[in-house]
Amino acid sequence: MSRTTVSRTLLATSVLTVTALLATACGGSGSTTAASSGGGKNLHVYAWAGEIPDSVVKGFEKETGIKVTVDTFDSNETMTAKLSTGASGYDLVEPSQYTVQQLIGQQLIQPLDHSKIEGLDNLAAKFRDPSYDKGNKYSVPWIWGTTGFAYNDTCIKSATSWKTLFDSAHKGKLYMLDNMLAAYIAGLQVTGHRATSTDKDQIAEATAALVKQKKILAGYNSTNYPQLLSSGQACAAEAWSGTAMAKVVQSNKNVHYVIPSEGGSIWTDGLAIPKGAKNVTSAYAFITYLLRPEVAAKATDDGSSASANQAARAHIKDKDALKNPAIYASDAAIAKADFLLDPGTAMQYFQQGWTKVKAS
Amino acid sequence: MSGRTRLTGRLPDTVTAWLARGVIVFLYVPIVVVVVLSFNDSDVTYRWAGFSTRWYGVLAQDTDLLSALRVSAEVGVVSATLATAGGLLAAMGMGRLGPRGRALFSGSLFLPLVIPEIVLGVALLSVFGTLKASLGLTTLVLGHLVVTLPYAALIVLGAHRALDPALEEAATDLGCGGWQRFRLVTVPLLKQALLASWLLCFTISFGNIVMSTFTSGVGTTTLPLRVYSLLKTGLTPEINALGTLLVLFTFVIILGAGLRQMRRVLVGDGTD
């Protein structure tokens, strides 16, 4: 008896769901049509998880009546794949800086009409006219972070240079990020080159430095290195700024996050409008909304990320975050930091070199 | 003689018994850890900071995660239903083919099983791109069908092959038309297999990440995609809380309904 009931329930559920699916499908296409003809009452956003706080989305919906759908991706590549179909349905995407370059190259995003955006002046100097997108022609930076290193002062008194991570005095207590491009930031800068280098010989030099360094490393780690630093198991580790690192810097006074004197590097996730977006008016409205200082402040207060908006800093309630270098590195520290760019054809030199490092 | 057999038999028996225990522990430890850490008061999953149920409260408020859960459930139910229906039709159609046609048909049905899913995903994405189809629930279901259909066909075909053809013949002898025979004899006989296929397809669809990456669109971020994309900002015990509820849900389903059917099908007593 129970079996029959179960199969019936399953059948009923399935039928209900099919009906619901058809209903939503029809509803969805119907509203899209309405939006494209009626001036935009919808907005489809494709962003990194957690980078556009829910409070921001709700606030925008309440103020404008535009219905926002936010989908999240796990990597720039996933997002690029979707856009490359040409019919992704998204009106606003959030690529990282090197992906902005790639999307421009593949003609997947459209130039921004600056007359439809207010508040670009609020951006910090570093993000106005960045190297990867001259004049913010295609993208508006939203949040940012850095790649540097962190150390525990119980075993290293003070450190300001990448050389710390290449110093055999700390053998077996050093970690590097398990990430090719991140490792090469250190490798290139410690050998006196820029992190944006695409020169074959310079990359080979960096590879040699990284191979040599591997002998004194405890390992490559991009997951729990903040904890290793906190427990003292690691003396120094290459590190990404962000929530995990910031928590350790906050809770353990012995751990310090540093942008190395050689420059380190900086990344930013910005807003761009895909080619063929249907609700362009809504997308511009959302960009303008996100550029408001009090809204951008929520990226820090509700999302624990650093905002690219200079004017927002006065509105941030979490003053500790502003002082935490693992969230907001100081202006002086990032002055020399390069945006990592799309290495283009030099990618193969990095890949071959990294294979050599990993196999050594 | 018999004594020796017992002696030589005993040691390997003990070893296999312990091996089996080890395997079971290995399989269940992660689940136990997920459940325990869901009651963690800490902001991070890996450090214990006292008992708390606050993450269940956070979960109840998390509209993004809950809507991802809804999408996954919908897609799972629809694709499991369609895949099982497809498997049933395949089993019916197979009977009308000659041996060569049968080999060709079953070969083409099971081919997606041996093609890496990522290849299928990329291929589907280019097809959708060429057709200018907008990505969404429909493309997501189609993608999941590609993945689940072979499994459904495998189960239903196997069960159908094990049926005594005399039963269907008897039905015809007693005056059943094709549709009547199908409805009153074949489907009831295959009920266990259909349910097993549905549950398996639902599970596969619900946990799928590769195909979903390529075929999801506006408003259809599935639960696995959402959880995976959270890795960048760091997972909190909220994910454990969700995992615990899903484990609980699965247990209820398995204990309440699935266990008996699954066992019958797997043991091969398809005639029931």
Side-chain angles (χ1 to χ4, degrees):
Chain A
M1 169 243 149
S2 74
R3 255 186 288 146
T4 331
T5 324
V6 168
S7 4
R8 271 199 198 138
T9 323
L10 284 180
L11 190 67
T13 325
S14 318
V15 172
L16 271 180
T17 316
V18 175
T19 326
L21 178 74
L22 290 176
T24 37
C26 298
S29 54
S31 55
T32 318
T33 326
S36 46
S37 58
K41 280 288 161 228
N42 280 291
L43 179 65
H44 302 148
V45 180
Y46 202 28
W48 291 94
E51 291 195 352
I52 302 179
D54 208 29
S55 55
V56 170
V57 174
K58 292 263 161 61
F60 178 73
E61 284 186 321
K62 204 171 157 203
E63 188 177 303
T64 60
I66 295 170
K67 197 188 165 311
V68 184
T69 314
V70 181
D71 289 294
T72 51
F73 52 80
D74 57 341
S75 72
N76 282 302
E77 289 67 29
T78 303
M79 186 256 299
T80 307
K82 290 283 169 57
L83 290 194
S84 66
T85 64
S88 67
Y90 291 110
D91 306 310
L92 196 67
V93 291
E94 197 203 2
S96 302
Q97 80 283 351
Y98 67 91
T99 309
V100 169
Q101 282 185 302
Q102 291 167 344
L103 293 178
I104 296 171
Q106 296 175 36
Q107 307 198 335
L108 293 175
I109 50 178
Q110 51 177 289
L112 297 174
D113 181 351
H114 284 201
S115 71
K116 291 178 179 158
I117 303 172
E118 286 163 42
L120 274 174
D121 299 343
N122 293 337
L123 290 177
K126 186 89 189 171
F127 304 101
R128 305 282 318 269
D129 196 24
S131 55
Y132 61 89
D133 178 22
K134 284 283 168 207
N136 300 100
K137 198 172 163 204
Y138 288 87
S139 70
V140 176
W142 165 241
I143 68 155
W144 62 280
T146 52
T147 307
F149 71 93
Y151 66 95
N152 188 319
D153 65 16
T154 54
C155 73
I156 297 175
K157 275 229 166 61
S158 79
T160 54
S161 159
W162 281 126
K163 291 192 184 106
T164 313
L165 286 172
F166 292 78
D167 186 348
S168 57
H170 316 302
K171 187 175 179 186
K173 294 268 194 181
L174 301 171
Y175 288 85
M176 287 284 282
L177 289 170
D178 192 7
N179 176 290
M180 179 181 78
L181 291 175
Y184 270 95
I185 296 169
L188 281 165
Q189 292 189 342
V190 85
T191 50
H193 307 299
R194 297 190 69 164
T196 49
S197 172
T198 51
D199 181 86
K200 194 178 176 183
D201 295 334
Q202 294 183 355
I203 295 170
E205 231 178 291
T207 305
L210 290 172
V211 168
K212 192 160 163 254
Q213 180 206 29
K214 195 181 174 188
K215 296 185 189 76
I216 60 166
L217 289 183
Y220 293 94
N221 184 319
S222 21
T223 48
N224 68 334
Y225 60 91
Q227 282 68 54
L228 296 176
L229 283 160
S230 183
S231 68
Q233 218 173 317
C235 281
E238 190 186 21
W240 280 311
S241 70
T243 326
M245 198 63 235
K247 272 181 196 157
V248 170
V249 170
Q250 182 103 33
S251 62
N252 186 338
K253 294 294 166 215
N254 296 321
V255 178
H256 308 274
Y257 178 83
V258 203
I259 309 289
S261 51
E262 291 92 345
S265 97
I266 182 167
W267 56 263
T268 177
D269 295 335
L271 311 160
I273 303 181
K275 273 244 168 87
K278 289 210 176 69
N279 308 301
V280 178
T281 320
S282 302
Y284 279 118
F286 196 50
I287 294 177
T288 300
Y289 183 79
L290 290 177
L291 278 168
R292 283 190 208 163
E294 66 277 15
V295 173
K298 289 185 183 163
T300 303
D301 283 334
D302 296 344
S304 308
S305 310
S307 166
N309 196 312
Q310 185 73 36
R313 299 198 184 181
H315 296 267
I316 292 169
K317 293 185 192 79
D318 184 0
K319 298 294 175 202
D320 287 338
L322 276 174
K323 280 184 239 143
N324 193 328
I327 298 178
Y328 281 95
S330 72
D331 292 344
I334 61 167
K336 268 174 75 183
D338 286 322
F339 284 109
L340 269 204
L341 303 178
D342 175 18
T345 49
M347 192 58 148
Q348 49 171 327
Y349 305 140
F350 286 113
Q351 280 165 344
Q352 285 158 6
W354 186 237
T355 312
K356 228 182 259 175
V357 174
K358 283 296 186 135
S360 72
Chain B
M1 187 66 199
S2 69
R4 256 186 75 189
T5 327
R6 222 180 296 142
L7 258 184
T8 48
R10 203 170 287 160
L11 187 67
D13 274 359
T14 337
V15 173
T16 34
W18 278 104
L19 216 60
R21 286 187 189 122
V23 169
I24 300 252
V25 167
F26 175 73
L27 286 177
Y28 280 87
V29 158
I31 297 182
V32 173
V33 169
V34 163
V35 173
V36 170
L37 287 181
S38 73
F39 297 103
N40 191 353
D41 197 27
S42 166
D43 281 338
V44 285
T45 41
Y46 47 80
R47 202 185 320 115
W48 181 258
F51 180 87
S52 155
T53 52
R54 73 173 167 121
W55 291 110
Y56 287 87
V58 173
L59 174 64
Q61 301 290 323
D62 191 335
T63 45
D64 286 340
L65 205 59
L66 292 178
S67 75
L69 178 66
R70 207 198 60 226
V71 169
S72 277
E74 283 180 5
V75 171
V77 167
V78 176
S79 54
T81 308
L82 293 179
T84 304
L88 180 60
L89 291 178
M92 298 291 105
M94 200 72 103
R96 299 191 186 159
L97 296 172
R100 212 182 269 175
R102 206 175 291 181
L104 191 71
F105 183 51
S106 60
S108 63
L109 258 182
F110 301 140
L111 198 61
L113 279 182
V114 291
I115 298 178
E117 206 181 315
I118 193 157
V119 175
L120 293 171
V122 172
L124 261 184
L125 185 63
S126 2
V127 170
F128 293 145
T130 316
L131 295 176
K132 293 274 165 243
S134 62
L135 299 173
L137 224 44
T138 317
T139 54
L140 195 56
V141 167
L142 287 174
H144 282 206
L145 265 183
V146 173
V147 180
T148 52
L149 191 59
Y151 291 97
L154 206 61
I155 293 176
V156 182
L157 270 175
H160 187 252
R161 215 171 287 158
L163 282 189
D164 187 352
L167 291 168
E168 288 189 342
E169 284 163 18
T172 319
D173 280 347
L174 292 170
C176 276
W179 169 243
Q180 250 180 333
R181 189 181 65 213
F182 175 76
R183 195 168 55 89
L184 297 175
V185 178
T186 317
V187 170
L189 285 174
L190 288 175
K191 207 166 60 188
Q192 321 295 346
L194 293 176
L195 186 59
S197 149
W198 195 94
L199 288 173
L200 183 67
C201 291
F202 179 82
T203 314
I204 292 172
S205 161
F206 196 81
N208 183 285
I209 191 155
V210 177
M211 187 54 89
S212 308
T213 299
F214 293 102
T215 53
S216 68
V218 174
T220 54
T221 302
T222 64
L223 186 66
L225 289 182
R226 175 78 197 169
V227 171
Y228 195 55
S229 63
L230 283 171
L231 282 172
K232 195 194 178 198
T233 42
L235 295 177
T236 62
E238 183 190 357
I239 301 301
N240 295 53
L242 178 70
T244 305
L245 292 179
L246 289 178
V247 168
L248 195 73
F249 178 70
T250 315
F251 262 55
V252 169
I253 296 246
I254 299 239
L255 292 178
L259 196 62
R260 229 160 13 136
Q261 278 89 338
M262 283 284 202
R263 195 165 56 201
R264 279 207 188 128
V265 172
L266 293 179
V267 171
D269 184 14
T271 47
D272 176 37

